[in-house]
Amino acid sequence: MTMEIEIISKESIKPASPTPHHLKTHKISLVDQFGPSGYAPILLFYSANHHTFQANSISKRSLILKQSLSETLARYYPAAGKVRDSLSIDCDDEGALYIETRINCSLKYYLGQLDVLSLDKLAPDESFKLATPGTRVVIVKENVFACGGIALGFIMWHSICDAATLSSFLKTWSALARRSSDQAVFPNFIASSLFPPNESFPQDANSSSLASILFTVGNSAARRFLFDGSVMVNLKAKATSAGMQNPTRAEVVSALIFKSFMAAAMKVKHQVHRPTLMNFPVNLRRRMTPPLPENCLGNLLFFATVLSEGEEELDSLVRKIREARSKINGDLLKSFQGEGGLTKFLEIITELRESLSASGTEHIGLNSWCNFGFYDVDYGWGKPLWIPFMGSMFKNYIFLMDTRHGNGIEAWVSLDKEVMAVVEQDQELLSFASIDPTPLDLGKPISLVSNL
């Protein structure tokens, strides 16, 4: 069966209450200016339940999603507007674009025959495009399978949205859908005051310009490596050393894949070890002094880098990842504030670009959405069945996500095809991970209706 998607409707979901006149323009922060000029996408799959098979039940569910989205947009008022320019949002209350589709197959069939490239069809078309002036800040795509299951695609302008913002928004939306208003939060808008935007910020200094150095699309292969929660104790024990205590799940999985990538690249490309740079974003909220709340709106990230000159043990790489993250601290962030903030910011960006462009250096990107609670986004019909990575077309990239039950990690890895062929035979890696399991088998079994 060929999956067919039919668009049923498109409409604007306006905020439940108007944005006050004095808030009609939202300025992004200096750190946000560094963010990508595209969208941050997420796709959440929900299984059907016994109440969603009837057409009227599906319509009622859509109505609940739209009404609670309207209430959420009143709180996150910039999300109901349009991109004005690289510095601001026009909070015109025009609303989020909401698209409804119907799919001709069951969710169980789709996931059982999964083609990761088809995931893009379930996301809004704008997911991998630039957000130009006049485009919506938020677009939603509600895909309903023949069984009643859902794939909910959501994108927000990346300049005001990182994983923390995305999580806060979705948790608030889902809490309001469940009528659990005590669990819904109001966003914090302090970022642009702490890091005022600067009109002198050069366009070629944003992270989108680094993407052309970091990532390419082409002769690549994407694989999903599942690290079940039961193996984490052993993997952490292997990584623990006298100078590296209590490594996190993300640290040990990142280090193990980084180690495998370097060995494979040496074997396939060079026959000798070459310097390899791994870069990853760090959530600045937790690094500020004092820390900012997680519901602080923005793309409040900055890159940390790990350089490996040759073959290293797992504990050594874990230590380097921890040390790189520790350098993004309160003192550094304080230097981004005030009149000299832009100068200091650009100085570090220039150093990063030069490191990435250094001749003879391999590089790979890493991003972790672990511990942001995306699997807690419950609109009233259960927690997500699966949350995939939207970006598997990139080469030399590692993306980490919690598994459905939180103790494991699903690592999406996209590499040059020849390098991946070696990585997927790495016996150390395979002793901890399984490759490309069906999403229906991730973690513990869940209750599925017979015609899912």
Side-chain angles (χ1 to χ4, degrees):
M1 179 188 297
T2 301
M3 183 182 74
E4 296 179 359
I5 303 176
E6 179 186 3
I7 295 178
I8 300 298
S9 67
K10 292 183 179 181
E11 62 181 296
S12 292
I13 305 299
K14 299 181 182 296
S17 57
T19 300
H21 182 75
H22 69 284
L23 298 177
K24 285 295 185 179
T25 298
H26 175 76
K27 292 285 188 179
I28 68 174
S29 74
L30 174 67
V31 180
D32 293 333
Q33 287 182 263
F34 173 67
S37 52
Y39 286 93
I42 189 170
L43 184 63
L44 305 98
F45 285 91
Y46 293 89
S47 62
N49 60 51
H50 292 286
H51 303 291
T52 59
F53 298 137
Q54 301 299 322
N56 61 342
S57 296
I58 292 174
S59 297
K60 181 179 179 181
R61 186 176 58 185
S62 294
L63 181 60
I64 291 172
L65 282 170
K66 293 173 186 177
Q67 289 176 339
S68 52
L69 176 60
S70 175
E71 296 171 25
T72 307
L73 292 173
R75 300 182 180 214
Y76 288 79
Y77 61 88
K82 297 190 185 77
V83 176
R84 173 177 291 176
D85 50 39
S86 61
L87 292 171
S88 62
I89 293 172
D90 181 8
C91 304
D92 59 2
D93 292 345
E94 192 65 25
L97 177 61
Y98 196 98
I99 305 164
E100 290 185 74
T101 79
R102 296 293 183 268
I103 300 174
N104 65 329
C105 65
S106 70
L107 178 55
K108 182 177 182 180
Y109 175 86
Y110 174 74
L111 294 179
Q113 312 292 323
L114 181 65
D115 173 7
V116 294
L117 296 180
S118 71
L119 293 170
D120 294 349
K121 298 178 182 179
L122 302 175
D125 292 341
E126 294 82 356
S127 297
F128 303 104
K129 298 178 182 178
L130 298 181
T132 56
T135 57
R136 310 274 186 135
V137 173
V138 163
I139 304 175
V140 180
K141 192 174 183 181
E142 178 196 339
N143 306 278
V144 180
F145 289 85
C147 60
I150 297 178
L152 190 63
F154 179 92
I155 62 174
M156 183 183 288
W157 187 33
H158 215 324
S159 290
I160 64 160
C161 177
D162 55 11
T165 294
L166 199 57
S167 175
S168 294
F169 186 99
L170 294 177
K171 287 179 181 177
T172 295
W173 180 12
S174 61
L176 293 173
R178 299 191 313 270
R179 313 320 300 171
S180 300
S181 57
D182 58 317
Q183 298 178 31
V185 302
F186 284 89
N188 181 300
F189 297 102
I190 197 174
S192 57
S193 298
L194 293 175
F195 305 102
N198 194 310
E199 293 184 3
S200 300
F201 193 98
Q203 193 61 35
D204 64 355
N206 67 19
S207 62
S208 296
S209 68
L210 295 177
S212 60
I213 303 172
L214 279 168
F215 312 118
T216 58
V217 293
N219 185 34
S220 61
R223 296 286 184 271
R224 294 180 296 115
F225 293 86
L226 175 64
F227 296 81
D228 190 80
S230 61
V231 307
M232 282 299 171
V233 173
N234 294 334
L235 185 54
K236 288 182 179 182
K238 185 178 179 66
T240 299
S241 66
M244 181 69 254
Q245 296 297 317
N246 301 317
T248 67
R249 293 177 302 139
E251 286 173 340
V252 295
V253 170
S254 302
L256 183 61
I257 298 174
F258 187 29
K259 182 173 182 281
S260 181
F261 165 71
M262 289 189 291
M266 179 200 71
K267 182 176 181 179
V268 171
K269 295 182 177 182
H270 316 299
Q271 306 307 312
V272 295
H273 281 287
R274 297 178 66 175
T276 305
L277 188 72
M278 181 170 72
N279 75 287
F280 54 93
V282 176
N283 183 358
L284 301 185
R285 296 166 184 80
R286 305 168 186 176
R287 299 288 165 175
M288 290 286 290
T289 305
L292 294 176
E294 286 296 294
N295 62 322
C296 188
L297 186 83
N299 187 56
L300 300 177
L301 304 172
F302 201 71
F303 281 107
T305 58
V306 173
L307 179 65
S308 178
E309 299 284 357
E311 186 173 3
E312 293 191 60
E313 294 301 318
L314 188 67
D315 61 329
S316 174
L317 292 173
V318 170
R319 187 183 304 111
K320 285 188 173 183
I321 292 172
R322 177 75 62 87
E323 290 173 350
R325 183 178 288 108
S326 69
K327 293 178 181 178
I328 311 298
N329 55 32
D331 290 339
L332 174 65
L333 299 181
K334 188 175 181 180
S335 71
F336 294 162
Q337 299 175 279
E339 293 183 3
L342 178 62
T343 300
K344 181 63 175 180
F345 199 93
L346 295 179
E347 176 186 315
I348 297 177
I349 296 304
T350 300
E351 292 176 0
L352 175 60
R353 183 183 288 106
E354 290 175 351
S355 297
L356 293 171
S357 303
S359 177
T361 301
E362 290 278 350
H363 44 72
I364 187 167
L366 165 71
N367 196 1
S368 172
W369 281 13
C370 293
N371 297 320
F372 282 104
F374 287 106
Y375 275 97
D376 294 326
V377 178
D378 180 355
Y379 291 90
W381 43 83
K383 295 183 178 182
L385 168 65
W386 187 48
I387 305 175
F389 170 52
M390 303 300 294
S392 57
M393 77 292 291
F394 296 127
K395 186 164 66 175
N396 287 4
Y397 201 79
I398 303 167
F399 178 84
L400 307 182
M401 174 61 91
D402 294 320
T403 54
R404 190 164 58 237
H405 295 276
N407 296 323
I409 284 181
E410 187 178 14
W412 291 68
V413 183
S414 183
L415 304 172
D416 178 274
K417 285 185 176 181
E418 293 181 343
V419 174
M420 179 62 81
V422 176
V423 167
E424 61 188 6
Q425 299 298 321
D426 184 327
Q427 293 306 302
E428 182 184 26
L429 180 58
L430 294 180
S431 68
F432 294 102
S434 58
I435 301 179
D436 290 341
T438 169
L440 296 174
D441 292 337
L442 294 178
K444 300 176 183 177
I446 65 169
S447 176
L448 301 177
V449 293
S450 59
N451 63 338
L452 172 67

